[in-house]
């Protein structure tokens, strides 16, 4: 039940984020739904392909696909003035999706008995894959490659779960990690933390 809630939250957050980006880029209804659906599901598909395990296609996502459709419909059909005012919250939605999907990726790898490297890799791909796909489809530079710390937080999830520091099957520990990663992502955004060493050199 705990994972189902996290999945719903993550899909809703990333679908909302993708739809908001599509509207900002003046996409039509088809483009908005494509971007809104790709954002929550692309990371898992890329992860499975990279790890050479069976791919769960978008149309096989069950109720999560309906969650995405409902979320995108709300974004698209609500008054645009309301929706654009929600854009300021997109960073928080993105942080929720990043954290939840990174946890999902780590859980997937651990359940399939992957070593530490595989857990980290799965966590990163699942966590950032949707955001990268969203940015590429929107013809934006993926934030993971040039903006503030992003993929590092997904990597942290893979490290602490892969090493057994956090028991991914313990609901309380999993939710503590989930909230902690959201806070770290939001904090790094507001404080402008970067991985550009030239900035550190200037200091």
């Amino acid at each position: 039940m705990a994972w189902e809630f996290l999945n719903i939250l993550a899909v809703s957050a990333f679908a909302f984020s993708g739809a908001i980006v599509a509207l900002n880029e003046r996409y039509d209804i088809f483009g908005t739904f494509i971007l809104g659906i790709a954002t929550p599901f692309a990371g898992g598909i890329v992860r499975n392909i990279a790890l050479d395990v069976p791919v769960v296609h978008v149309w096989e996502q069950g109720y999560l696909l309906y969650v995405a459709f409902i979320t995108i419909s709300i974004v698209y059909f609500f008054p645009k003035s309301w929706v654009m005012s929600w854009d300021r919250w997109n960073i928080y939605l993105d942080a929720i999706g990043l954290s939840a999907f990174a946890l999902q990726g780590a859980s997937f790898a651990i359940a399939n008995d992957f070593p530490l490297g595989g857990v980290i890799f799965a966590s990163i791909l699942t966590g950032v894959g949707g955001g990268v796909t969203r940015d590429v489809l929107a013809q934006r530079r993926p934030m993971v490659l040039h903006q503030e710390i992003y993929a590092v937080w997904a990597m942290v999830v893979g490290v602490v779960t892969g090493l057994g520091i956090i028991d991914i099957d313990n609901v309380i520990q999993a939710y503590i990690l989930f909230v902690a990663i959201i806070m770290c992502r939001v904090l790094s955004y507001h404080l402008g933390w970067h991985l550009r060493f030239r900035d550190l050199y200037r200091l």
Side-chain angles (χ1 to χ4, degrees):
M1 190 65 187
W3 282 113
E4 289 179 3
F5 175 75
L6 272 184
N7 284 335
I8 292 173
L9 192 61
V11 168
S12 297
F14 263 10
F16 193 102
S17 176
I20 287 289
V21 169
L23 290 179
N24 281 332
E25 297 296 331
R26 301 185 182 278
Y27 281 30
D28 61 14
I29 185 171
F30 181 76
T32 301
F33 272 85
I34 291 296
L35 202 61
I37 291 172
T39 306
F41 298 121
I45 292 174
V46 172
R47 175 202 64 209
N48 285 22
I49 293 173
L51 295 178
D52 195 27
V53 297
V55 173
V56 179
H57 298 288
V58 171
W59 54 87
E60 297 175 344
Q61 297 289 343
Y63 69 92
L64 293 176
L65 183 59
Y66 297 112
V67 169
F69 267 112
I70 292 171
T71 303
I72 300 165
S73 298
I74 290 173
V75 173
Y76 190 83
F77 292 108
F78 263 49
K80 295 301 181 286
S81 59
W82 294 10
V83 173
M84 292 311 169
S85 68
W86 297 342
D87 188 39
R88 71 173 72 98
W89 303 102
N90 210 5
I91 173 61
Y92 304 101
L93 295 171
D94 192 79
I96 292 171
L98 170 69
S99 181
F101 277 121
L103 278 163
Q104 184 195 83
S107 175
F108 175 87
I110 291 172
N112 284 276
D113 297 322
F114 280 93
L116 176 61
V119 176
I120 296 173
F121 191 61
S123 183
I124 293 174
L125 278 183
T126 315
V128 309
V132 170
T133 303
R134 174 198 62 209
D135 293 340
V136 169
L137 290 177
Q139 298 182 6
R140 297 180 172 184
R141 287 189 300 164
M143 68 172 64
V144 66
L145 300 179
H146 74 97
Q147 288 190 12
E148 65 283 338
I149 297 174
Y150 189 77
V152 169
W153 303 125
M155 183 179 68
V156 168
V157 172
V159 170
V160 298
T161 55
L163 291 175
I165 299 172
I166 295 292
D167 182 2
I168 200 74
D169 294 321
N170 185 299
V171 175
I172 295 176
Q173 292 186 32
Y175 270 94
I176 289 174
L177 181 59
F178 170 65
V179 173
I181 294 299
I182 292 174
M183 293 176 63
C184 288
R185 165 64 185 136
V186 171
L187 188 64
S188 67
Y189 170 81
H190 285 294
L191 295 181
W193 293 347
H194 292 274
L195 292 178
R196 296 197 296 260
F197 288 103
R198 68 173 184 272
D199 293 341
L200 294 176
Y201 177 77
R202 290 171 184 168
L203 295 176

